[in-house]
Amino acid sequence: MGMMKHLMVRSRRRSLWMMHFCLGGCNGCSIEIMAALTPMYDLERFGILNTGNPKHTDVLLVGGSVNHRNRRTLKNLIDQIPAPRLIVAVGTCALTGGIFNEAYNIIGGANRVVDVDVYVPGCPPKPEAVIDGILSGLDKFEQ
Amino acid sequence: MNLAKLWVPAAAVIAAPVFGGLIAGIDRKISARLQGRYGPPILQPFYDLYKLFGKDPLAVNRWQPFFAAMYLFGAAASVAWLALGGDLLVLFFLTTFTVGFLVLGASCVPSPFSRAGAGRELLQALVYEPVLILVFAAIFQQTGRWDAAGVWRQGGVLLAQTPLLYLCLFLVLVIKLRKSPFDFSASPHAHQELVRGVLTEYSGPFLAMVELGHWYETALLLMICALFWSSVPGSAILVAATVAGLIFVDNLFPRLTWRWMMARIWLPLPGLALLNLIWLMV
Amino acid sequence: MTSMLKILLKNGTGRYATRLYPAEAREPFAKNRADLSFDPGCCRLCKTCSRKCPTGAIEVDKENRTWKRDVFSCVFCGDCIEACPKSCLSFVARPPLPQKHHQQAVVYATVPERSKK
Amino acid sequence: MTVSVIPVGPQHPVFLEPFQLKLVVEDEVVSEALPRFGYVHRGLEALVVSKDFRQMTRVAERICGICSAIHGMTYCRAIEKLLGITPPPRAQMLRLVWSELHRMHSHLLWLGLFAEAMGFESLFMQIFRIRETVMDILEQTTGNRVIISVNVIGGVRRDLDAEGADGIRRALKKVAGDLERIRPVLVDDYSVRKRTEEKGILAKERAYELGAVGPVLRASGISQDIRRTGYGAYGELDFEPVVESGGDCQARCKVRYRELFQSMDLIRSGLDRLSDGEIQTKSKEKPEGEILVRSEQPRGEVVYYIRADGSKHLQRLRIRTPTFANMAALMDLLPGLDLADVPLVTLSLDPCIACTER
């Protein structure tokens, strides 16, 4: 039994299917997430695949600040992700709303709507920082 | 038939997914290298599968898990039947049923992506099923046997007389394994208009069952390929070359459309196979 | 098709382009705008950086002599660095680390009292 | 024949950004397309009331990550005109170099996503590998990869030394070689042509009527490029807009591919003509008056309208982005398309939702 559990933790840590959802931001973060998938950084060597489908997702990368319209979409998406799941907020907008924090249509960072596990600062964070962010959240799968 | 013979299909049922998973892992690693990337570890598909079994079971309705299980069962039964040396015609019907369950599972949910994917899966079946039956007919024509065990025992390089037919079988493999020019019903990569087509609504353990079924299908089709050079080293070479060809084809083409497939592949493919069959008969 | 095949074969036979990041990190470029460093020693608590910051990430408290920056709000634009009359701020090439809690976001610094000369 | 409604978005793997296309599909042929917006709307034009005009430069840069340098430059040009100052020639030329580098990174990103929309994974990877060279020079010379933040009111904030200029030249040589290698795949490959040729044809007259801008307009055979008005340092350099006549996805792909080489030429000649001197003109004034400024973004013409009353805060800021102009063309193209071509045709217009909704 112990071995099965050990194997499960190992598999969860080695196989992370990801989806990124860009909310109201400048889109720079999703470009950097795309760049992290490509040969120079290659997220797939950690078993990270871009699925683009919430039902297959383990890691949700959220970029951009939450506004009154995409709040519902974000909640809806997260409800469709089966547990265990990891939610990573990428970029200043997803952390606090950043430079748009005072704009009339902005509620704030992603943590206003969902429980974020890892915050990756940067405007936008470099692909290396995205990798760091995902890897530092892996402890969540230990339980 | 005595019970002692049953260990062969039992071993095949256990070994086939290991084989199919390894093929998937090697495929992903080599594809990554061809794209200039480091790529995932070879065992990556097994991690994926095991993880999926550990996810929360979220089923859309109660039919979905049933159809996923039936798909898995059908694929495993086909492998067992072939390993038992069973009749190829029965195998043909078994594979058809297997695909049917996948289509049913995809169309029992209200998602438009999944339903459109199911429609495309049916169209694909329309394209490759005639070729499969022609392949079996050609095997019979050449060896005089309908049962796989007899064909294997007869030995010989079937490929020498059936190059065109093997080409058609290769295209069937490209369609069945959802490789690039024909990955419309479900693509292993994202960035498809139908998200992941027939697989869109499956999640967690049910997706794992479908994946496992897909590995069985991979193993089954490669076993049929192996019949074309029925000796152990020969079939190994043939299967390796076929897999290498699949990986290259996957990386060489963009996804085409099913309309293109129906226009350009649907009739020529069985035509080519038939040509080969006629040549065998003459 | 042949040209794509050439590209694939070239990639497949050569070394992969991937930088195996956590194991094989590249030295960041010297002029990177990745993070800010603050030298409390030279600060005069003039609040210029706080006024110029477009996101309001910097707060200066004259009474308690503290300078704090919310890393999660900072957009690393460098306006404060240009504005600082004493050049107490500078860029650091290494980016800030990912955090697990929102509370860890703020960087505090206490500005020491200086003798009046 | 079954009629179904397929909601593409707000989260869909083909589009990086959230926007929804409700497609009414009959037998996998689109009969009606209804777009829904608002997922990215931040209301940043109204931020002028809380941020002063210098801080707004940083906001303008973050309207869109893909064309950030050009947004920043356009905003700075508008304020400079209101203040009545001209940046020094060296600053103008550096702005040109960085905005053309940005155009290259945008076009390469687009080419990559275009390949991925076709399901051509390996070509996508190859193009993004080429793009990393451009990203590296941007990072090396400006300190950041995407939002380079070099524009300030009155000039630029970072100087380019001889070493940096040589680095750019070397990198461009490498990019040009790599791009030459993928040209036959993009242009001659049978299967790529099958997917792109005669898909989503926008006729010349229709493109003009619908007010399309940028590469979309140029791919339909109309030679229009705002850079030809000679703003900034563009007046010193000589170039012709890239024009194709097909009006289909293939033509749009060719236009952007050829513009990459045009940008490289502009950068090279810009670096050769780089004069010595200051990089910033300082001014203590506050902007006053009304102004309309146009620039050519990677996606087409962007228009900034600013009204200021001499105080620290601007009164009004209004931006007309290229994707907004191209949306009408998209809605014209979608009905009648095969479902499989919808992502391709939508991406061929290079929609930037972050720009459009602000």
Side-chain angles (χ1 to χ4, degrees):
Chain A
M1 206 57 220
M3 195 182 135
M4 297 287 277
K5 215 171 165 188
H6 176 76
L7 255 178
M8 182 56 79
V9 169
R10 200 179 150 77
S11 304
R12 277 179 181 165
R13 290 180 65 116
R14 298 293 292 266
S15 159
L16 300 149
W17 291 359
M18 80 151 209
M19 177 177 86
H20 72 93
F21 185 50
C22 176
L23 305 164
C26 75
N27 205 13
C29 299
S30 50
I31 302 172
E32 292 296 67
I33 292 167
M34 285 309 282
L37 288 167
T38 54
M40 206 57 86
Y41 303 96
D42 189 25
L43 278 179
E44 203 182 349
R45 65 205 153 93
F46 307 106
I48 300 173
L49 270 187
N50 183 13
T51 59
N53 179 0
K55 301 206 167 183
H56 300 180
T57 297
D58 304 300
V59 185
L60 176 68
L61 302 178
V62 185
S65 45
V66 178
N67 69 18
H68 291 284
R69 181 149 197 178
N70 61 32
R71 182 182 56 182
R72 269 178 306 164
T73 316
L74 182 61
K75 269 198 115 69
N76 212 341
L77 277 178
I78 289 193
D79 288 342
Q80 290 183 54
I81 302 177
R85 61 186 173 217
L86 182 70
I87 296 166
V88 183
V90 179
T92 304
C93 292
L95 304 183
T96 57
I99 201 160
F100 309 120
N101 203 8
E102 294 161 22
Y104 62 81
N105 200 25
I106 292 295
I107 301 171
N111 60 325
R112 292 289 177 86
V113 181
V114 294
D115 297 326
V116 176
D117 295 308
V118 182
Y119 299 88
V120 184
C123 187
K126 300 191 169 54
E128 280 106 338
V130 176
I131 295 176
D132 274 342
I134 297 175
L135 294 187
S136 70
L138 290 184
D139 312 344
K140 202 189 175 189
F141 295 121
E142 306 263 295
Q143 302 123 23
Chain B
M1 182 204 298
N2 54 5
L3 275 175
K5 259 190 172 175
L6 276 180
W7 73 268
V8 181
V13 165
I14 293 165
V18 177
F19 179 66
L22 273 179
I23 295 280
I26 291 167
D27 177 358
R28 278 174 71 176
K29 187 80 184 178
I30 294 180
S31 288
R33 283 298 162 89
L34 290 180
Q35 294 166 359
R37 294 185 288 133
Y38 182 76
I42 303 266
L43 293 181
Q44 185 60 44
F46 296 101
Y47 292 129
D48 287 348
L49 190 81
Y50 199 61
K51 170 211 73 179
L52 283 175
F53 274 119
K55 298 236 1 162
D56 252 10
L58 287 181
V60 180
N61 53 30
R62 58 206 161 99
W63 289 105
Q64 203 190 15
F66 171 72
F67 287 129
M70 285 309 286
Y71 171 67
L72 173 60
F73 174 76
S78 320
V79 168
W81 184 254
L82 190 61
L84 201 62
D87 198 312
L88 288 175
L89 284 175
V90 176
L91 184 74
F92 174 75
F93 287 111
L94 270 175
T95 53
T96 317
F97 274 121
T98 314
V99 176
F101 283 118
L102 187 64
V103 172
L104 280 174
S107 37
C108 75
V109 288
S111 155
F113 295 114
S114 184
R115 288 193 166 179
R120 291 179 180 189
E121 184 79 36
L122 271 180
L123 282 170
Q124 288 185 356
L126 195 66
V127 171
Y128 67 73
E129 294 286 336
V131 181
L132 264 188
I133 198 104
L134 284 174
V135 164
F136 293 151
I139 289 174
F140 173 73
Q141 176 66 30
Q142 205 57 24
T143 59
R145 302 295 293 262
W146 278 116
D147 59 319
V151 174
W152 179 262
R153 264 200 307 279
Q154 205 114 50
V157 188
L158 219 58
L159 185 66
Q161 283 94 38
T162 55
L164 289 179
L165 208 67
Y166 196 77
L167 186 71
C168 295
L169 186 63
F170 179 74
L171 282 175
V172 170
L173 238 76
V174 177
I175 298 175
K176 266 307 257 190
L177 300 188
R178 308 196 177 110
K179 294 296 178 198
S180 210
F182 303 115
D183 51 347
F184 350 101
S185 72
S187 166
H189 312 290
H191 275 243
Q192 196 195 8
E193 62 274 12
L194 294 184
V195 190
R196 296 205 62 194
V198 284
L199 304 179
T200 308
E201 291 298 312
Y202 287 107
S203 64
F206 314 120
L207 181 65
M209 285 199 273
V210 177
E211 281 288 304
L212 201 58
H214 188 66
W215 293 357
Y216 272 116
E217 282 198 318
T218 311
L220 177 80
L221 285 163
L222 290 175
M223 275 158 84
I224 294 174
C225 287
L227 285 181
F228 277 75
W229 192 340
S230 25
S231 71
V232 174
S235 57
I237 292 170
L238 193 59
V239 166
T242 309
V243 171
L246 278 173
I247 297 171
F248 267 96
V249 165
D250 188 25
N251 281 298
L252 272 176
F253 293 101
R255 176 184 309 121
L256 289 164
T257 57
W258 63 265
R259 279 181 214 280
W260 183 86
M261 179 178 75
M262 294 313 280
R264 295 292 164 87
I265 299 287
W266 182 42
L267 280 178
L269 197 63
L272 210 62
L274 209 61
L275 200 71
N276 203 156
L277 195 64
I278 292 166
W279 177 49
L280 280 183
M281 285 172 169
V282 174
Chain C
M1 203 180 117
T2 44
S3 41
M4 194 65 214
L5 191 64
K6 253 184 250 164
I7 293 173
L8 290 183
L9 287 176
K10 188 162 180 281
N11 286 342
T13 47
R15 191 175 182 271
Y16 46 85
T18 311
R19 206 178 301 127
L20 302 172
Y21 167 61
E24 181 187 314
R26 171 171 66 164
E27 202 49 42
F29 293 112
K31 286 196 276 183
N32 258 11
R33 296 186 291 113
D35 201 359
L36 285 180
S37 86
F38 172 66
D39 174 18
C42 69
C43 181
R44 297 287 154 91
L45 296 168
C46 67
K47 288 194 175 178
T48 310
C49 49
S50 162
R51 270 201 311 277
K52 293 279 177 184
C53 180
T55 64
I58 302 177
E59 269 177 46
V60 183
D61 189 342
K62 262 191 167 157
E63 266 141 47
N64 300 324
R65 302 193 69 81
T66 57
W67 182 95
K68 66 179 185 181
R69 177 175 68 103
D70 185 358
V71 183
F72 282 11
S73 292
C74 180
V75 290
F76 313 98
C77 61
D79 281 0
C80 50
I81 295 176
E82 284 182 359
C84 184
K86 290 283 163 191
S87 310
C88 300
L89 286 154
S90 56
F91 274 126
V92 179
R94 260 176 218 294
L97 290 173
Q99 304 284 352
K100 294 230 170 127
H101 302 288
H102 227 278
Q103 296 88 354
Q104 296 166 338
V106 183
V107 177
Y108 282 97
T110 314
V111 178
E113 293 273 357
R114 61 188 70 242
S115 53
K116 283 183 188 135
K117 256 189 226 171
Chain D
M1 191 182 278
T2 49
V3 178
S4 54
V5 179
I6 297 192
V8 180
Q11 191 280 323
H12 194 278
V14 171
F15 304 127
L16 279 181
E17 296 163 279
F19 90 110
Q20 194 178 36
L21 273 180
K22 268 199 168 155
L23 301 175
V24 181
V25 171
E26 285 174 29
D27 202 15
E28 293 217 7
V29 174
V30 179
S31 61
E32 204 182 343
L34 305 160
R36 286 178 64 177
F37 294 103
Y39 298 96
V40 199
H41 180 61
R42 291 151 277 176
L44 60 78
E45 284 164 346
L47 277 176
V48 286
V49 298
S50 60
K51 302 205 190 294
D52 71 33
F53 71 95
R54 285 178 202 278
Q55 291 173 340
M56 277 306 283
T57 319
R58 305 292 152 244
V59 177
E61 272 167 359
R62 282 164 180 80
I63 289 171
C64 162
I66 320 176
C67 17
S68 118
I70 298 167
H71 267 300
M73 181 181 80
T74 317
Y75 178 81
C76 289
R77 272 178 51 222
I79 298 288
E80 280 154 13
K81 280 198 177 169
L82 287 178
L83 293 173
I85 55 173
T86 342
R90 185 177 173 87
Q92 303 256 29
M93 202 51 99
L94 284 176
R95 274 182 183 177
L96 179 140
V97 168
W98 275 314
S99 28
E100 289 307 314
L101 278 173
H102 232 80
R103 190 184 310 276
M104 283 180 70
H105 122 66
S106 168
H107 279 358
L108 280 168
L109 176 95
W110 178 84
L111 276 178
L113 293 180
F114 188 64
E116 180 124 19
M118 283 189 272
F120 209 159
E121 190 86 1
S122 41
L123 184 61
F124 161 76
M125 293 292 178
Q126 194 63 29
I127 291 170
F128 264 66
R129 190 175 167 183
I130 300 170
R131 181 174 170 269
E132 279 305 312
T133 322
V134 180
M135 300 313 280
D136 275 355
I137 15 176
L138 279 175
E139 191 176 354
Q140 206 170 0
T141 54
T142 68
N144 207 350
R145 283 161 56 93
V146 173
I147 293 179
I148 59 173
S149 262
V150 284
N151 294 295
V152 285
I153 291 161
V156 289
R157 79 163 36 144
R158 291 223 175 197
D159 207 350
L160 192 67
D161 47 9
E163 199 187 326
D166 278 346
I168 293 179
R169 283 200 191 92
R170 268 198 308 275
L172 289 187
K173 207 172 170 189
K174 182 167 179 293
V175 171
D178 288 344
L179 276 176
E180 271 305 328
R181 222 163 288 135
I182 62 161
R183 195 193 63 84
V185 185
L186 281 171
V187 179
D188 302 331
D189 195 273
Y190 168 77
S191 45
V192 173
R193 270 177 37 211
K194 207 75 213 165
R195 283 309 297 273
T196 54
E197 263 179 7
E198 295 179 14
K199 294 285 162 64
I201 299 178
L202 189 65
K204 190 173 178 178
E205 295 75 31
R206 195 74 185 132
Y208 185 77
E209 276 167 25
L210 292 169
V213 291
V216 179
L217 189 64
R218 291 198 282 276
S220 292
I222 298 177
S223 165
Q224 185 232 42
D225 193 328
I226 305 300
R227 286 177 289 176
R228 293 281 289 165
T229 58
Y231 63 81
Y234 285 102
E236 296 173 34
L237 304 177
D238 191 36
F239 68 97
E240 280 298 313
V242 175
V243 181
E244 290 279 338
S245 56
D248 55 359
C249 288
Q250 174 82 342
R252 280 170 223 141
C253 181
K254 275 187 193 158
V255 164
R256 292 198 174 91
Y257 179 79
R258 282 172 53 198
E259 278 189 10
L260 280 168
F261 286 90
Q262 185 192 41
S263 289
M264 281 190 253
D265 287 343
L266 283 173
I267 294 168
R268 279 197 207 100
S269 44
L271 286 175
D272 291 341
R273 289 166 192 235
L274 204 56
S275 51
D276 291 330
E278 287 289 304
I279 54 165
Q280 216 172 322
T281 312
K282 293 245 164 52
S283 166
K284 293 269 177 204
E285 303 285 307
K286 302 271 191 306
E288 188 170 4
E290 237 184 339
I291 192 132
L292 199 72
V293 167
R294 307 194 292 168
S295 296
E296 181 79 7
Q297 260 192 3
R299 282 156 193 75
E301 174 190 11
V302 60
V303 182
Y304 269 64
Y305 165 79
I306 289 177
R307 195 167 79 206
D309 59 354
S311 71
K312 206 168 74 168
H313 297 284
L314 304 175
Q315 272 186 319
R316 280 282 183 282
L317 165 67
R318 186 89 188 93
I319 307 160
R320 210 277 317 248
T321 54
T323 308
F324 180 75
N326 281 338
M327 261 314 155
L330 176 65
M331 290 309 130
D332 196 51
L333 288 181
L334 283 180
L337 276 183
D338 203 354
L339 179 62
D341 296 327
V342 168
L344 205 66
V345 171
T346 312
L347 271 179
S348 77
L349 300 183
D350 203 354
C352 177
I353 310 300
C355 274
T356 315
E357 300 190 339
R358 300 181 293 283

